[in-house]
Amino acid sequence: EIRPFGSCREDITIEQVSIPPKPKKKKKKSRKKKANAEPQVEDDTPAPWETFDTMKEALKAGWEPGQSFSFVAKNCKGQKVKPVEEKKSVI
């Protein structure tokens, strides 16, 4: 766990922004069943996330606030923080 320094917000640079693909609209199934129709196999593999160099490019590509995204933060300095353990008191 790392606690960033106070000047970190001013110095940070965000690079390699990745956003998930837009969800595909599902097609409605037809109610009529065909006797000789072969079952269609849907591709369930998730589409890869799109990667951009800057946040502005990701915004232009369709990312909106509230959606998931991933990024690499550079030029951000901080210090390691030791985890604080809670002491139990015996009463």
Side-chain angles (χ1 to χ4, degrees):
E1 296 185 17
I2 298 175
R3 178 180 294 151
F5 293 135
S7 64
C8 179
R9 288 187 178 189
E10 299 159 0
D11 300 335
I12 192 171
T13 56
I14 296 176
E15 299 177 354
Q16 297 179 1
V17 180
S18 299
I19 60 173
K22 294 184 180 181
K24 296 179 182 178
K25 294 183 179 179
K26 294 184 179 181
K27 295 181 181 179
K28 294 182 180 179
K29 295 181 181 180
S30 62
R31 293 185 178 187
K32 296 180 182 179
K33 293 184 180 180
K34 296 181 182 179
N36 295 332
E38 294 180 11
Q40 294 179 352
V41 178
E42 294 184 21
D43 188 15
D44 290 339
T45 57
W49 285 35
E50 298 178 50
T51 304
F52 303 95
D53 292 330
T54 63
M55 192 67 186
K56 286 185 180 182
E57 292 177 10
L59 286 167
K60 288 180 183 177
W63 180 84
E64 296 176 358
Q67 292 179 328
S68 297
F69 70 101
S70 175
F71 63 93
V72 175
K74 292 192 177 184
N75 201 23
C76 182
K77 297 178 182 178
Q79 69 182 38
K80 287 190 176 184
V81 180
K82 294 180 181 177
V84 178
E85 294 182 21
E86 295 180 18
K87 294 182 180 179
K88 296 181 180 179
S89 60
V90 179
I91 299 178

